[in-house]
Amino acid sequence: MENEITLKRFAEIRRDLEYTQAEFAALLSVSSTTADIERGRTKVSGKVVVELLKQFKINPLWLFGESDNKYLETSNTSVIPKVITVDSADRENMVLVNAKAAAGYPQNIQDTSWYQQLPAFDLPIPEFRNATYRGFQVEGDSMLPNLKPGEWVLAKAVEHIDDVSPNKMYVVVLEDAVLVKKIEKRPNSNNITLVSLNETYPPYDIKPYQIQEIWQVSSRITFGEDATTEKGLLRQLQESMNELKDQLKNVKKV
């Protein structure tokens, strides 16, 4: 008979993740239901332990009652960009991800050739040169009144989930979506809460392992109607950058 602690903890994982026994079985590639495992009739196989670690960062030692740390890599889950792009002079540039491209971003996040299809912009301002930035187009109205649908944000790469602040806005790249949200981490919880500014959208919890990348919104740019083409978009971005450059110069003079 399987260790009682293991059975209890296995069932706890499933309930915390809010899966039925059938859904959890499908995720772990075991027979039709996890009921037999939870009753102690079937052992927790090595394959199941591997899947729990791979998919949910469950610490195997915790599962078998040998550790108090339920998760591995929870606080230091890396959300650093999977691909960096450079220009012909080997300087890092900024890729622009419009709403249409964002639909395919999570699936192509490690495909360097996919990024080459997107417009990329050289960053002519020193302040933008010491970090990785990406431009994202805002889709939907969940961040109203601060961000309108169709607007663009310039966002700076975040290395770890620990680095996020509840007062900032972020572009969060999940396994199946690109969202602009505020991020909250509750004490004594392994969940991450995504919060919309538009109160008609309720906050919701996700697990750290569901996040692929996080980008901190640093500035917002509203483009005119003729930014629908790549050429128009890049020209307007260049103008916006030049304006920003002038503003920074003026700030330094003061």
Side-chain angles (χ1 to χ4, degrees):
M1 173 123 177
E2 192 76 71
N3 179 330
E4 274 187 38
I5 291 176
T6 303
L7 304 182
K8 189 176 162 204
R9 289 186 170 182
F10 180 85
E12 178 190 313
I13 295 163
R14 177 182 64 78
R15 282 194 296 270
D16 283 353
L17 292 166
E18 298 180 350
Y19 288 118
T20 66
Q21 290 176 327
E23 288 167 344
F24 205 39
L27 276 173
L28 300 175
S29 302
V30 299
S31 58
S32 58
T33 168
T34 58
D36 282 349
I37 294 176
E38 291 179 34
R39 291 186 191 121
R41 290 180 188 161
T42 305
K43 285 198 117 182
V44 176
S45 68
K47 188 181 174 191
V48 165
V49 174
V50 167
E51 287 301 317
L52 289 172
L53 175 59
K54 198 160 76 177
Q55 294 188 52
F56 309 111
K57 301 290 187 281
I58 299 297
N59 180 359
L61 292 176
W62 175 84
L63 184 64
F64 294 114
E66 301 290 326
S67 169
D68 292 331
N69 296 325
K70 183 175 180 180
Y71 295 96
L72 288 179
E73 299 174 40
T74 42
S75 62
N76 287 325
T77 302
S78 175
V79 290
I80 204 158
K82 308 298 180 273
V83 171
I84 300 297
T85 63
V86 294
D87 61 19
S88 55
D90 266 355
R91 289 185 306 230
E92 197 174 312
N93 56 19
M94 180 168 60
V95 171
L96 301 174
V97 183
N98 65 20
K100 187 180 176 188
Y105 188 106
Q107 295 76 33
N108 293 289
I109 201 161
Q110 303 205 44
D111 181 357
T112 49
S113 61
W114 183 81
Y115 288 86
Q116 287 161 12
Q117 302 165 32
L118 300 176
F121 179 75
D122 179 41
L123 303 171
I125 303 173
E127 282 76 3
F128 280 83
R129 282 223 181 271
N130 58 2
T132 298
Y133 281 83
R134 198 152 286 171
F136 293 90
Q137 189 176 28
V138 177
E139 196 173 18
D141 59 359
S142 70
M143 296 308 276
L144 285 173
N146 293 39
L147 298 173
K148 299 187 186 77
E151 281 188 322
W152 286 76
V153 293
L154 304 186
K156 178 181 172 182
V158 173
E159 283 194 30
H160 291 290
I161 293 175
D162 282 355
D163 299 335
V164 302
S165 157
N167 305 318
K168 311 257 185 210
M169 287 190 288
Y170 295 90
V171 177
V172 184
V173 183
L174 300 177
E175 293 163 327
D176 58 357
V178 178
L179 309 169
V180 185
K181 299 286 174 197
K182 292 185 93 173
I183 298 175
E184 290 177 1
K185 292 187 300 173
R186 290 200 303 269
N188 306 319
S189 171
N190 281 296
N191 288 346
I192 304 286
T193 305
L194 299 183
V195 181
S196 301
L197 294 180
N198 184 341
E199 290 178 0
T200 58
Y201 293 86
Y204 58 94
D205 286 352
I206 58 168
K207 301 288 177 188
Y209 72 85
Q210 293 175 272
I211 301 175
Q212 298 197 75
E213 291 178 352
I214 298 177
W215 300 80
Q216 183 183 311
V217 173
S218 61
S219 48
R220 178 188 72 186
I221 295 181
T222 305
F223 294 121
E225 291 301 314
D226 61 342
T228 48
T229 64
E230 183 177 320
K231 202 179 253 183
L233 175 63
L234 290 171
R235 196 192 71 251
Q236 288 199 27
L237 183 52
Q238 180 75 56
E239 288 168 4
S240 298
M241 280 290 181
N242 289 337
E243 281 174 30
L244 185 55
K245 208 171 182 178
D246 292 340
Q247 286 169 19
L248 287 166
K249 276 182 191 165
N250 292 333
V251 168
K252 284 172 184 170
K253 284 176 189 170
V254 174

